[in-house]
Amino acid sequence: GNADATFNKPADLIALVNAIYDTYQNSDLLKKCIWYRANFSSHDFFNWGGDVFWNNYQIPATFGGVTTFWNQSYIGIARANAAFGVIDNALAKGIIDQPLADRLTGEAFYLRGMTYYYLAASFGGVPLELSAVTDGLTPRSSRDSVFGQVVADMQKAEGLLLSKTTLPVADLGRATKGAAYGFEGAARMWLKDYTGALAAFNNPELTSNYHLMQNFADAN
């Protein structure tokens, strides 16, 4: 099939997963969606007065950032869902070895879970698309169900991803075990599972490898 012809060397599989990361290269997704939610909702900035609707929580459904956020998120989710089977097939055919298959699968789970985290934090319950092929329209799931899926995806990622301490320098910036524990903990906070959140946040993969900056002014 087409997948067999396209994915026939390790670099092809890495490019496949890179395409999931690439979802976040869309400038509007970062600038007008995730960045807006992080900055505007804290009342520190309103685009020079151009987007004051964030101040009174009257964001119109016609706002382009909302559409971009939704569409780009599900493009990334679809790419992750499609990647799982292709990676499994490449492993079975000996195109990639088990360590690379594990890392790439872990990255796909991490990226899918991270995307669902942002969707649920922004919209509440959303449709949970978990397969490469869907059968008609998927109904909206509850917010807790979506955050539950985030926990499940991150737990799978934790068992497959490399630690920041073993990730090759050339791959720094890719998902790591510690990053997965961070999102697991954040999702458990939304679920009010504070004991589980503390366990994730206190995992050595997170506490040993990631730290707050000592000087906030360095964040520029």
Side-chain angles (χ1 to χ4, degrees), residues 1-17 19 82 86-87 89-90 93 95-96:
N2 291 337
D4 291 339
T6 303
F7 303 102
N8 51 33
K9 57 184 183 296
D12 296 334
L13 280 300
I14 294 171
L16 174 70
V17 173
V86 177
I87 295 168
N89 188 50
K93 294 191 171 190
I95 295 170
I96 54 176

Side-chain angles (χ1 to χ4, degrees), residues 34 40 108 135 164 169 197-198 219:
I34 294 174
F40 284 19
D135 183 14
K164 184 180 178 182
V169 173
L198 277 173

Side-chain angles (χ1 to χ4, degrees), residues 77-95:
I77 288 166
R79 288 175 179 176
N81 289 337
F84 295 122
V86 177
I87 295 168
D88 288 345
N89 188 50
L91 175 64
K93 294 191 171 190
I95 295 170

Side-chain angles (χ1 to χ4, degrees), residues 9-157:
K9 57 184 183 296
D12 296 334
L13 280 300
I14 294 171
L16 174 70
V17 173
N18 285 350
I20 313 172
Y21 285 98
D22 189 60
T23 310
Y24 285 88
Q25 292 294 329
N26 179 286
S27 62
D28 280 347
L29 176 62
L30 293 176
K31 182 176 68 176
K32 292 187 176 180
C33 306
I34 294 174
W35 182 78
Y36 270 24
R37 184 174 75 80
N39 285 275
F40 284 19
S41 58
S42 64
H43 292 199
D44 67 343
F45 192 73
F46 294 107
N47 196 20
W48 309 106
D51 291 321
V52 293
F53 52 76
W54 287 82
N55 198 24
N56 53 21
Y57 302 101
Q58 293 182 341
I59 307 162
T62 55
F63 177 55
V66 174
T67 302
T68 299
F69 190 2
W70 186 275
N71 290 347
Q72 287 296 124
S73 293
Y74 277 101
I75 288 171
I77 288 166
R79 288 175 179 176
N81 289 337
F84 295 122
V86 177
I87 295 168
D88 288 345
N89 188 50
L91 175 64
K93 294 191 171 190
I95 295 170
I96 54 176
D97 60 16
Q98 190 71 56
L100 181 58
D102 286 350
R103 194 202 84 187
L104 294 176
T105 301
E107 290 181 34
F109 274 120
Y110 171 88
L111 290 165
R112 186 176 75 176
M114 182 178 74
T115 305
Y116 274 127
Y117 177 89
Y118 286 127
L119 283 170
S122 300
F123 297 109
V126 298
L128 273 175
E129 299 287 0
L130 303 174
S131 301
V133 178
T134 61
D135 183 14
L137 292 176
T138 302
R140 183 179 185 180
S141 295
S142 68
R143 189 186 72 179
D144 281 0
S145 294
V146 180
F147 280 120
Q149 185 62 47
V150 175
V151 171
D153 280 359
M154 292 303 167
Q155 287 179 323
K156 289 179 180 176

